Amino acid sequence: EEMFFMVAQHNLTVVGMDGAYIKPINTDYIMITPGQTMDVLITANQSPSEYYMAARAYAGLTYDNTATLQ
């Protein structure tokens, strides 16, 4: 299932996909599919307790999100 992923109040810069460099893409979130890889940069500019990651399935399927916040 396709997944959306983000780190709250942070921008992501995608610099590679599936083992190949790409022109950098700045975004708030990414959508990644099974078997796909992404190289993503994040600027760590918050205090350590201020990093909240969120993930959600693209469709309305049940997803084990015990390691992420919704």
Side-chain angles (χ1 to χ4, degrees), residues 6-67:
M6 70 177 296
V7 179
Q9 298 179 0
H10 286 80
N11 288 327
L12 306 172
T13 303
V14 181
V15 295
M17 294 178 67
D18 297 324
Y21 290 116
I22 62 171
K23 180 179 177 183
I25 300 169
N26 294 313
T27 184
D28 295 343
Y29 65 91
I30 59 172
M31 185 180 85
I32 191 164
T33 59
Q36 183 179 25
T37 62
M38 288 188 181
D39 300 311
V40 180
L41 303 175
I42 180 171
T43 301
N45 59 3
Q46 303 290 323
S47 58
S49 63
E50 298 297 320
Y51 290 90
Y52 300 99
M53 292 181 275
R56 172 164 262 172
Y58 180 72
L61 301 174
T62 302
Y63 170 67
D64 178 11
N65 62 356
T66 55

